[in-house]
Amino acid sequence: MSQEGCLFCRIVRRQLPAEIVAEADGLIAVKDVNPQAPTHLLIIPTEHIASLADLTEAHTTLMGKALQLGNRLARQYHLTPDGYRVVINCGPQAGQSVWHVHVHLLGGRPLQWPPG
Ligand code: DGP
């Protein structure tokens, strides 16, 4: 189910422009509009789920597929073998700004740890 005013639901419905790089299994992957690394993609379930904390048992396969899609895109974008990072920000203190769960895939430069 999609939510009317949600930014990522609107991208899923093609009501907002986005560079879509993959679409499969209830997921789309788009280029982040404000990239923090040479490759910065967002893997977004087409179903509206507000945050990581709202996932249920029913989303286990979906989120597993999100990670598999991340791996596939990492290969496609030549992020292996150097490495890459997947991140899900959950809640305001973690910096979540779009309330529709999404996986960041970042790579193409050395990434610092711990993140800020
Ligand atoms: P987060 O802070 O974890 O909720 O990440 C939200 C990301 O979404 C952030 O990296 C910027 C990105 N973003 C925000 N608005 C848009 C948009 O309209 N299009 C795309 N492609 N990305 C967006």
Side-chain angles (χ1 to χ4, degrees), residues 2 4 8 15 18 23 35 41 46-49 57 62 66 70 86 91-93 99 113:
S2 75
E4 203 53 43
F8 287 171
Q15 292 171 341
E23 191 166 17
L41 305 177
T46 57
E47 175 188 345
H48 181 82
I49 305 161
E57 258 330 283
L62 176 70
V86 296
Q93 195 144 284
W99 292 85
W113 192 263

mmCIF file of all heavy atoms in Angstrom, residues 2 4 8 15 18 23 35 41 46-49 57 62 66 70 86 91-93 99 113:
data_model
loop_
_atom_site.group_PDB
_atom_site.id
_atom_site.type_symbol
_atom_site.label_atom_id
_atom_site.label_comp_id
_atom_site.label_asym_id
_atom_site.label_seq_id
_atom_site.Cartn_x
_atom_site.Cartn_y
_atom_site.Cartn_z
ATOM 1 N N SER A 2 0.547 2.253 -0.797
ATOM 2 C CA SER A 2 1.369 3.453 -0.832
ATOM 3 C C SER A 2 0.671 4.572 -0.057
ATOM 4 O O SER A 2 -0.530 4.527 0.191
ATOM 5 C CB SER A 2 1.641 3.882 -2.273
ATOM 6 O OG SER A 2 0.500 4.468 -2.815
ATOM 7 N N GLU A 4 -0.104 8.678 0.309
ATOM 8 C CA GLU A 4 -0.298 9.834 -0.574
ATOM 9 C C GLU A 4 0.889 10.808 -0.605
ATOM 10 O O GLU A 4 1.474 11.039 -1.636
ATOM 11 C CB GLU A 4 -1.590 10.558 -0.139
ATOM 12 C CG GLU A 4 -2.228 11.402 -1.216
ATOM 13 C CD GLU A 4 -2.472 10.626 -2.503
ATOM 14 O OE1 GLU A 4 -2.939 9.470 -2.447
ATOM 15 O OE2 GLU A 4 -2.163 11.186 -3.561
ATOM 16 N N PHE A 8 8.943 8.875 -1.257
ATOM 17 C CA PHE A 8 9.386 7.662 -1.969
ATOM 18 C C PHE A 8 8.208 6.920 -2.597
ATOM 19 O O PHE A 8 8.371 6.301 -3.662
ATOM 20 C CB PHE A 8 10.214 6.766 -1.044
ATOM 21 C CG PHE A 8 11.603 7.318 -0.756
ATOM 22 C CD1 PHE A 8 12.411 6.730 0.206
ATOM 23 C CD2 PHE A 8 12.107 8.408 -1.451
ATOM 24 C CE1 PHE A 8 13.685 7.228 0.476
ATOM 25 C CE2 PHE A 8 13.377 8.916 -1.188
ATOM 26 C CZ PHE A 8 14.173 8.327 -0.223
ATOM 27 N N GLN A 15 5.441 9.649 -9.890
ATOM 28 C CA GLN A 15 4.881 11.001 -9.813
ATOM 29 C C GLN A 15 5.967 12.030 -9.572
ATOM 30 O O GLN A 15 5.718 13.226 -9.658
ATOM 31 C CB GLN A 15 3.818 11.058 -8.699
ATOM 32 C CG GLN A 15 2.581 10.241 -9.026
ATOM 33 C CD GLN A 15 1.631 10.125 -7.852
ATOM 34 O OE1 GLN A 15 2.021 10.346 -6.705
ATOM 35 N NE2 GLN A 15 0.388 9.760 -8.130
ATOM 36 N N ALA A 18 13.065 10.435 -10.817
ATOM 37 C CA ALA A 18 14.206 9.849 -10.109
ATOM 38 C C ALA A 18 14.952 8.988 -11.118
ATOM 39 O O ALA A 18 14.362 8.482 -12.079
ATOM 40 C CB ALA A 18 13.738 8.998 -8.933
ATOM 41 N N GLU A 23 14.736 -2.450 -10.625
ATOM 42 C CA GLU A 23 13.373 -2.650 -10.140
ATOM 43 C C GLU A 23 13.138 -4.146 -10.127
ATOM 44 O O GLU A 23 13.295 -4.805 -11.165
ATOM 45 C CB GLU A 23 12.401 -1.974 -11.120
ATOM 46 C CG GLU A 23 11.024 -1.902 -10.587
ATOM 47 C CD GLU A 23 10.148 -0.931 -11.389
ATOM 48 O OE1 GLU A 23 10.531 -0.578 -12.522
ATOM 49 O OE2 GLU A 23 9.110 -0.552 -10.861
ATOM 50 N N PRO A 35 24.190 12.760 -3.258
ATOM 51 C CA PRO A 35 25.110 11.632 -3.018
ATOM 52 C C PRO A 35 26.236 11.970 -2.048
ATOM 53 O O PRO A 35 26.838 13.034 -2.132
ATOM 54 C CB PRO A 35 25.642 11.307 -4.417
ATOM 55 C CG PRO A 35 25.381 12.517 -5.245
ATOM 56 C CD PRO A 35 24.189 13.205 -4.661
ATOM 57 N N LEU A 41 23.305 4.813 -3.834
ATOM 58 C CA LEU A 41 21.996 4.354 -4.300
ATOM 59 C C LEU A 41 21.091 4.127 -3.105
ATOM 60 O O LEU A 41 21.568 3.874 -1.990
ATOM 61 C CB LEU A 41 22.152 3.047 -5.093
ATOM 62 C CG LEU A 41 23.127 3.076 -6.280
ATOM 63 C CD1 LEU A 41 23.221 1.688 -6.909
ATOM 64 C CD2 LEU A 41 22.720 4.108 -7.312
ATOM 65 N N THR A 46 8.642 -1.010 -2.527
ATOM 66 C CA THR A 46 7.526 -0.294 -3.156
ATOM 67 C C THR A 46 6.372 -0.125 -2.163
ATOM 68 O O THR A 46 5.601 0.824 -2.269
ATOM 69 C CB THR A 46 7.037 -1.017 -4.431
ATOM 70 O OG1 THR A 46 6.673 -2.346 -4.089
ATOM 71 C CG2 THR A 46 8.109 -1.038 -5.497
ATOM 72 N N GLU A 47 6.290 -1.036 -1.186
ATOM 73 C CA GLU A 47 5.275 -0.896 -0.125
ATOM 74 C C GLU A 47 5.695 0.209 0.833
ATOM 75 O O GLU A 47 6.883 0.313 1.180
ATOM 76 C CB GLU A 47 5.171 -2.231 0.637
ATOM 77 C CG GLU A 47 4.243 -2.180 1.836
ATOM 78 C CD GLU A 47 4.313 -3.452 2.698
ATOM 79 O OE1 GLU A 47 4.846 -4.490 2.237
ATOM 80 O OE2 GLU A 47 3.846 -3.378 3.850
ATOM 81 N N HIS A 48 4.731 0.993 1.284
ATOM 82 C CA HIS A 48 5.066 2.030 2.265
ATOM 83 C C HIS A 48 5.251 1.406 3.643
ATOM 84 O O HIS A 48 4.311 0.883 4.236
ATOM 85 C CB HIS A 48 3.982 3.109 2.339
ATOM 86 C CG HIS A 48 4.348 4.183 3.321
ATOM 87 N ND1 HIS A 48 5.190 5.224 2.996
ATOM 88 C CD2 HIS A 48 4.040 4.340 4.630
ATOM 89 C CE1 HIS A 48 5.365 5.984 4.065
ATOM 90 N NE2 HIS A 48 4.685 5.472 5.075
ATOM 91 N N ILE A 49 6.486 1.471 4.130
ATOM 92 C CA ILE A 49 6.820 1.047 5.499
ATOM 93 C C ILE A 49 7.603 2.234 6.055
ATOM 94 O O ILE A 49 8.622 2.631 5.477
ATOM 95 C CB ILE A 49 7.718 -0.210 5.498
ATOM 96 C CG1 ILE A 49 7.074 -1.349 4.697
ATOM 97 C CG2 ILE A 49 8.027 -0.646 6.934
ATOM 98 C CD1 ILE A 49 8.049 -2.436 4.259
ATOM 99 N N GLU A 57 7.647 -9.674 10.753
ATOM 100 C CA GLU A 57 8.012 -10.983 10.197
ATOM 101 C C GLU A 57 7.702 -11.039 8.704
ATOM 102 O O GLU A 57 8.462 -11.629 7.937
ATOM 103 C CB GLU A 57 7.135 -12.040 10.831
ATOM 104 C CG GLU A 57 7.657 -12.954 11.943
ATOM 105 C CD GLU A 57 9.117 -13.320 11.970
ATOM 106 O OE1 GLU A 57 9.581 -14.163 11.201
ATOM 107 O OE2 GLU A 57 9.800 -12.745 12.831
ATOM 108 N N LEU A 62 11.401 -9.692 1.949
ATOM 109 C CA LEU A 62 11.574 -8.421 1.234
ATOM 110 C C LEU A 62 12.921 -7.785 1.590
ATOM 111 O O LEU A 62 13.673 -7.359 0.697
ATOM 112 C CB LEU A 62 10.420 -7.483 1.599
ATOM 113 C CG LEU A 62 10.478 -6.073 1.011
ATOM 114 C CD1 LEU A 62 10.241 -6.120 -0.501
ATOM 115 C CD2 LEU A 62 9.450 -5.164 1.678
ATOM 116 N N ALA A 66 16.286 -7.033 -0.511
ATOM 117 C CA ALA A 66 16.887 -5.692 -0.616
ATOM 118 C C ALA A 66 18.416 -5.804 -0.488
ATOM 119 O O ALA A 66 19.161 -5.156 -1.235
ATOM 120 C CB ALA A 66 16.316 -4.772 0.462
ATOM 121 N N GLY A 70 21.243 -5.065 -3.273
ATOM 122 C CA GLY A 70 22.415 -4.229 -2.971
ATOM 123 C C GLY A 70 23.697 -4.903 -3.431
ATOM 124 O O GLY A 70 24.566 -4.258 -4.044
ATOM 125 N N VAL A 86 26.324 -0.616 3.476
ATOM 126 C CA VAL A 86 24.861 -0.493 3.444
ATOM 127 C C VAL A 86 24.428 0.068 4.792
ATOM 128 O O VAL A 86 24.955 -0.315 5.833
ATOM 129 C CB VAL A 86 24.136 -1.828 3.118
ATOM 130 C CG1 VAL A 86 24.460 -2.315 1.725
ATOM 131 C CG2 VAL A 86 24.447 -2.892 4.139
ATOM 132 N N GLY A 91 15.001 6.499 12.602
ATOM 133 C CA GLY A 91 14.627 7.476 13.621
ATOM 134 C C GLY A 91 15.431 8.750 13.526
ATOM 135 O O GLY A 91 16.473 8.813 12.869
ATOM 136 N N PRO A 92 14.941 9.800 14.190
ATOM 137 C CA PRO A 92 15.536 11.134 14.064
ATOM 138 C C PRO A 92 16.990 11.197 14.520
ATOM 139 O O PRO A 92 17.822 11.841 13.866
ATOM 140 C CB PRO A 92 14.648 12.017 14.948
ATOM 141 C CG PRO A 92 13.627 11.150 15.564
ATOM 142 C CD PRO A 92 13.725 9.771 15.014
ATOM 143 N N GLN A 93 17.318 10.525 15.583
ATOM 144 C CA GLN A 93 18.694 10.620 16.089
ATOM 145 C C GLN A 93 19.703 9.943 15.155
ATOM 146 O O GLN A 93 20.879 10.266 15.162
ATOM 147 C CB GLN A 93 18.789 10.035 17.501
ATOM 148 C CG GLN A 93 20.073 10.414 18.206
ATOM 149 C CD GLN A 93 19.885 10.642 19.686
ATOM 150 O OE1 GLN A 93 19.368 11.665 20.110
ATOM 151 N NE2 GLN A 93 20.290 9.671 20.459
ATOM 152 N N TRP A 99 10.552 9.216 5.691
ATOM 153 C CA TRP A 99 9.869 8.193 6.488
ATOM 154 C C TRP A 99 9.227 7.145 5.597
ATOM 155 O O TRP A 99 8.004 6.983 5.565
ATOM 156 C CB TRP A 99 8.916 8.863 7.485
ATOM 157 C CG TRP A 99 9.745 9.587 8.499
ATOM 158 C CD1 TRP A 99 10.259 10.845 8.388
ATOM 159 C CD2 TRP A 99 10.254 9.053 9.729
ATOM 160 N NE1 TRP A 99 11.054 11.128 9.475
ATOM 161 C CE2 TRP A 99 11.062 10.049 10.327
ATOM 162 C CE3 TRP A 99 10.108 7.825 10.386
ATOM 163 C CZ2 TRP A 99 11.716 9.857 11.537
ATOM 164 C CZ3 TRP A 99 10.755 7.649 11.601
ATOM 165 C CH2 TRP A 99 11.548 8.649 12.160
ATOM 166 N N TRP A 113 34.931 5.165 9.743
ATOM 167 C CA TRP A 113 34.175 4.519 10.810
ATOM 168 C C TRP A 113 34.724 4.981 12.140
ATOM 169 O O TRP A 113 35.943 5.043 12.284
ATOM 170 C CB TRP A 113 34.266 2.981 10.704
ATOM 171 C CG TRP A 113 33.264 2.339 11.620
ATOM 172 C CD1 TRP A 113 33.503 1.860 12.874
ATOM 173 C CD2 TRP A 113 31.879 2.145 11.377
ATOM 174 N NE1 TRP A 113 32.353 1.380 13.414
ATOM 175 C CE2 TRP A 113 31.331 1.540 12.517
ATOM 176 C CE3 TRP A 113 31.042 2.439 10.292
ATOM 177 C CZ2 TRP A 113 29.971 1.225 12.612
ATOM 178 C CZ3 TRP A 113 29.711 2.118 10.394
ATOM 179 C CH2 TRP A 113 29.188 1.519 11.558
#
